[in-house]
Amino acid sequence: MRLISINGHHLSESQINCLREILVVEITSHSETIRTKRTDDMTVFYHYRQMAFNLLQLIDEDPIAPLQQFADPDGHAGPDVCGEPVVIIDNVKVNYLTRMETRMAISAAGFNLEELKKVQKEKGFDIKNHNDLLKMIFEPK
Amino acid sequence: MSSSVEQKYPLAPLVINHNVVSEPDRKLLQDALIWSIKTSTNYLHQSVSGNKPNEFEVFRQRRKNAFELIQIFDGCAYAPYDPSARLRNKTFPRVAMAEAELPMHLIETIRAVLWDFITVPDHMNEETHEWVKRLMGYFNTEE
């Protein structure tokens, strides 16, 4: 069985599945925004959609995921993770994940909330609130 | 949305094989690719929870390709392919976008996605069949 640990928090299969769903919702909603809306900074939506997809690839152990895009501005990349059978997203990437969390939290609390609730209901997650999950995994242990 | 923003950030037309993709078709194309990402993700989740079947790599690659196509169609990433490649390789596909050519593996992906989409029981209706057939037409590689 695989182990996924984010910021020192080990995720259960149910939590991983919930995270997957959140990321797919992120990709979907950002794609809709990019296609239909013009804003002063569309690159934000491109950027977060790309990050959501990268994270999705990473938790599914994709060895060809562009892990260098996880690098923070200081150049802390994740090539040490690439190809390993056990995916560990460790505190090296806490800065990246903090930024990710910011966007995800805003998104989840806003227009994605109803969609996420619907998905959680359909999938029967045992997680009461996806915000609890996000809060837990993105806060350093 | 203000007109100034629209002027500042105009929505670039999506042109495939010299055909301007209509806005409704553009949405359908994106919907189909998002659907592929969702279904591939569900499949990968089931796979990593148990034994990995042979199709695991297929779906993982398909999800990656589907996302790349979404990015290209949104205009945020031109296909990073050498435009002169076709001159060196006679078999290089001729599905051309406004400023790039789609490589064969992405063309195969979009065809597979559309084909899979239409074979889902819930999608088997005349209307869906019609637009899938229409979208397939954009990716004709014949001269």
Side-chain angles (χ1 to χ4, degrees):
Chain A
M1 186 174 176
R2 293 182 318 123
L3 167 70
I4 292 182
S5 170
I6 298 180
N7 286 339
H9 302 278
H10 299 314
L11 271 62
S12 67
E13 278 296 318
S14 176
Q15 288 171 326
I16 294 167
N17 197 22
C18 182
L19 186 56
R20 274 197 189 88
E21 297 290 346
I22 289 170
L23 292 170
V24 170
V25 169
E26 284 283 309
I27 292 167
T28 303
S29 63
H30 290 328
S31 295
E32 177 75 9
T33 302
I34 290 166
R35 187 178 57 77
T36 60
K37 296 188 176 114
R38 302 286 95 183
T39 71
D40 279 332
D41 192 2
M42 290 302 289
T43 58
V44 170
F45 296 100
Y46 294 141
H47 183 58
Y48 284 114
R49 182 174 66 174
Q50 179 71 63
M51 289 202 300
F53 186 75
N54 287 352
L55 190 54
L56 190 61
Q57 293 276 78
L58 189 62
I59 64 176
D60 281 332
E61 287 188 80
D62 190 340
I64 55 175
L67 291 180
Q68 66 275 15
Q69 294 191 31
F70 279 81
D72 62 26
D74 297 327
H76 294 124
D80 53 318
V81 178
C82 187
E84 291 185 3
V86 176
V87 176
I88 298 175
I89 306 171
D90 58 27
N91 285 321
V92 172
K93 300 170 193 64
V94 66
N95 290 339
Y96 156 78
L97 292 174
T98 301
R99 292 198 300 274
M100 182 77 174
E101 184 268 345
T102 303
R103 174 57 190 158
M104 290 178 77
I106 293 170
S107 184
F111 56 87
N112 281 341
L113 185 58
E114 291 306 314
E115 182 67 21
L116 282 169
K117 281 181 180 174
K118 190 171 69 177
V119 170
Q120 285 183 330
K121 189 176 180 182
E122 288 172 356
K123 300 285 180 179
F125 292 142
D126 61 357
I127 296 166
K128 285 186 291 187
N129 189 320
H130 61 274
N131 279 325
D132 289 345
L133 170 68
L134 293 175
K135 188 178 177 185
M136 181 194 83
I137 63 178
F138 290 109
E139 281 183 354
K141 199 171 186 178
Chain B
M1 182 165 35
S2 70
S3 59
S4 62
V5 171
E6 286 178 337
Q7 288 168 3
K8 193 175 178 182
Y9 305 101
L11 189 62
L14 175 60
V15 183
I16 300 175
N17 274 344
H18 309 294
N19 297 309
V20 178
V21 181
S22 67
E23 278 309 302
D25 279 359
R26 199 167 177 172
K27 180 182 187 314
L28 292 170
L29 204 51
Q30 190 181 74
D31 287 347
L33 290 166
I34 291 287
W35 171 83
S36 180
I37 289 175
K38 286 180 182 174
T39 52
S40 297
T41 298
N42 286 339
Y43 186 86
L44 290 170
H45 169 61
Q46 292 164 9
S47 300
V48 296
S49 297
N51 295 323
K52 291 184 182 179
N54 293 334
E55 294 84 2
F56 185 86
E57 286 300 327
V58 173
F59 279 92
R60 195 159 59 180
Q61 187 62 43
R62 180 178 294 183
R63 184 173 69 175
K64 184 173 179 289
N65 290 351
F67 185 75
E68 187 175 357
L69 281 163
I70 287 174
Q71 285 186 305
I72 292 171
F73 294 157
D74 281 341
C76 59
Y78 286 121
Y81 312 110
D82 181 355
S84 64
R86 187 167 57 81
L87 301 176
R88 298 194 303 271
N89 181 0
K90 301 284 187 188
T91 62
F92 200 83
R94 286 187 58 82
V95 170
M97 301 200 35
E99 298 186 33
E101 289 190 338
L102 289 181
M104 202 62 206
H105 73 277
L106 292 184
I107 296 170
E108 287 171 350
T109 293
I110 187 68
R111 285 174 173 163
V113 167
L114 292 171
W115 177 251
D116 282 357
F117 192 88
I118 198 67
T119 54
V120 173
D122 288 348
H123 299 161
M124 287 181 179
N125 58 71
E126 193 172 336
E127 183 187 4
T128 307
H129 191 270
E130 187 61 33
W131 68 253
V132 166
K133 185 180 171 186
R134 190 170 67 245
L135 293 185
M136 284 278 198
Y138 286 114
F139 301 95
N140 187 358
T141 55
E142 293 179 1
E143 293 282 341

